[in-house]
């Protein structure tokens, strides 16, 4: 009966919370406490020895480690607890509404209103200031604005006498006055400095590696450890002139001992030599015949001139 009455009180509190106009904080706290009390009583009445953990007045599902054997369980290894029976239906007398006292539904005092208004104003001011600060200029724009505002204060007038021997000298203007104005700075100019991050130093000091004193190598050892430069047969981006012996040494073709020379190379060279000698002989014979023809033609013309004379 106590659990049913507590459940009815909790339901009446829930009905009052459905329309929480004018309810104070104390009333809401009492409503939550009544609902939590009903949950605890209902669980303790229906569990019949099965312990359930209640956290902050709200029932939660028990863990497997929290299961304990109920009646007739015979020890610790029992199965899951049986579900609690449904609560008994409320009666009409338990559904009566809750009538709060005038002190519980009283309006807030002027001090509370002022405190709430001040906290709201501070929160809104912080949001507005954060938005406005993003639109304000920073860095070189502020410096340019300050220079533009104080340019008239830093303006100077200088009187000087020009040199008589200088080109363009005007004797009518013995003295001149110059106005020095600071140069205008572009507010949209990007900053001239550049922030560079220095590399972080080591966390600990380096441990020195101790070496033995260097030994002087002989010529044979230096040649044995000599590594030739890598020379490519396809790429030469820098345009270096690479000797053929270096290219062949890098290629490795000169290191093979099984190279054989074909006998046709000797036949080819001999044939080229014979062909060249025969060509030279033909050229010499042709030049001699041409020379004899020229001489005979010259003698014929001389003979004709003698006959005409």
């Amino acid at each position: 009966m106590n659990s049913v009455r507590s459940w009815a009180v909790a339901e009446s509190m829930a009905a009052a919370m459905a329309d929480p106009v004018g309810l104070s904080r104390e009333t809401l706290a009492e409503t939550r406490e009544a609902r939590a009390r009903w949950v605890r009583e209902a669980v303790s009445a229906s569990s019949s020895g099965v312990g359930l953990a209640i956290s902050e007045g709200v029932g939660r599902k028990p863990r497997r480690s929290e299961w304990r054997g109920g009646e007739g369980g015979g020890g610790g290894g029992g199965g899951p607890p049986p579900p609690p029976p449904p609560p008994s239906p409320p009666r009409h007398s338990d559904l009566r509404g809750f009538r709060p006292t005038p002190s519980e539904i009283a309006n807030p005092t002027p001090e509370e209103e002022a405190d709430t208004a001040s906290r709201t104003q501070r929160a809104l001011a912080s949001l507005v200031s954060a938005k406005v600060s993003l639109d304000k200029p920073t860095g070189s724009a502020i410096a340019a604005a300050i220079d533009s505002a104080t340019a008239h204060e830093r303006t100077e007038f200088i009187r000087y006498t020009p040199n008589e021997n200088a080109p363009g000298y005007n004797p009518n203007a013995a003295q001149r006055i110059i106005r020095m104005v600071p140069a205008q700075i572009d507010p949209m100019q990007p900053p001239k400095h550049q922030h560079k991050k220095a590399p972080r130093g080591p966390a600990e000091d380096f441990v020195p590696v101790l070496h033995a004193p260097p030994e002087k190598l002989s010529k044979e050892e230096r040649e044995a450890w000599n590594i030739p430069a890598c020379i490519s047969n396809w790429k030469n981006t820098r345009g270096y002139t690479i000797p053929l012996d270096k290219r062949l040494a890098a290629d490795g073709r000169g290191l093979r001992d099984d190279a054989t020379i074909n006998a046709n190379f000797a036949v080819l060279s001999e044939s080229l030599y014979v062909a060249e000698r025969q060509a030279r002989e033909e050229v010499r014979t042709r030049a001699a015949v041409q020379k004899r023809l020229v001489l005979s033609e010259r003698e014929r013309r001389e003979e004709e001139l003698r006959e005409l004379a």
Side-chain angles (χ1 to χ4, degrees):
M1 181 61 68
N2 294 333
S3 63
V4 173
R5 185 178 297 107
S6 301
W7 181 84
V9 173
E11 288 296 329
S12 62
M13 291 294 184
M17 291 177 63
D19 187 14
V21 178
L23 294 181
S24 60
R25 297 180 181 178
E26 292 78 9
T27 305
L28 297 177
E30 291 176 2
T31 304
R32 296 190 183 95
E33 185 178 357
R35 290 177 66 88
R37 190 185 308 111
W38 170 78
V39 171
R40 287 196 297 269
E41 291 177 0
V43 171
S44 61
S46 60
S47 62
S48 64
V50 178
L52 298 179
I54 306 301
S55 174
E56 298 180 359
V58 180
R60 63 175 175 85
K61 185 177 180 180
R63 300 186 182 92
R64 186 177 296 275
S65 60
E66 297 175 350
W67 288 346
R68 296 196 296 271
E71 297 179 358
S88 58
R91 295 176 298 180
H92 181 70
S93 59
D94 296 332
L95 299 179
R96 290 178 299 181
F98 173 73
R99 294 183 178 275
T101 60
S103 61
E104 295 175 347
I105 61 175
N107 294 331
T109 60
E111 290 78 8
E112 295 177 353
E113 292 181 356
D115 184 25
T116 304
S118 62
R119 286 189 289 105
T120 305
Q121 185 178 4
R122 288 196 298 270
L124 293 176
S126 64
L127 293 177
V128 172
S129 62
K131 295 291 185 181
V132 171
S133 61
L134 296 177
D135 297 335
K136 290 183 178 180
T138 57
S140 60
I142 294 180
I146 295 175
D147 291 343
S148 300
T150 59
H152 64 281
E153 299 178 359
R154 293 181 288 113
T155 301
E156 299 179 1
F157 292 92
I158 302 174
R159 183 191 298 272
Y160 79 101
T161 303
N163 187 7
E164 298 180 357
N165 299 326
Y169 173 75
N170 187 6
N172 298 328
Q175 289 185 345
R176 297 178 182 271
I177 298 177
I178 298 177
R179 184 178 66 173
M180 299 291 293
V181 181
Q184 184 71 21
I185 300 178
D186 186 6
M188 303 303 294
Q189 183 180 4
K192 297 181 180 179
H193 55 274
Q194 184 179 7
H195 296 283
K196 292 186 178 180
K197 261 191 175 182
R200 181 180 297 179
E204 299 178 357
D205 295 337
F206 290 105
V207 179
V209 180
L210 303 179
H211 298 277
E215 299 179 358
K216 189 174 181 180
L217 300 178
S218 62
K219 183 178 181 181
E220 292 77 10
E221 293 176 348
R222 285 197 302 270
E223 292 178 354
W225 282 98
N226 183 26
I227 300 176
C230 180
I231 300 174
S232 175
N233 289 330
W234 294 273
K235 295 182 180 180
N236 188 11
T237 56
R238 298 184 180 272
Y240 292 148
T241 302
I242 302 173
L244 292 179
D245 56 345
K246 301 294 189 299
R247 189 176 293 279
L248 293 176
D251 191 9
R253 288 179 291 184
L255 302 178
R256 294 179 297 183
D257 297 335
D258 56 347
T260 57
I261 301 176
N262 197 345
N264 293 331
F265 284 103
V267 176
L268 177 62
S269 60
E270 183 66 22
S271 300
L272 292 175
Y273 176 72
V274 172
E276 182 183 2
R277 185 175 57 184
Q278 185 177 358
R280 290 179 182 276
E281 186 67 26
E282 292 177 356
V283 169
R284 189 180 301 106
T285 304
R286 190 180 300 110
V289 171
Q290 188 70 19
K291 186 176 181 181
R292 284 198 300 271
L293 292 176
V294 172
L295 291 177
S296 62
E297 183 68 21
R298 184 182 304 172
E299 291 176 357
R300 186 179 63 80
R301 287 184 180 181
E302 291 179 355
E303 185 66 25
E304 290 179 357
L305 291 175
R306 281 196 299 267
E307 291 177 358
L308 292 175

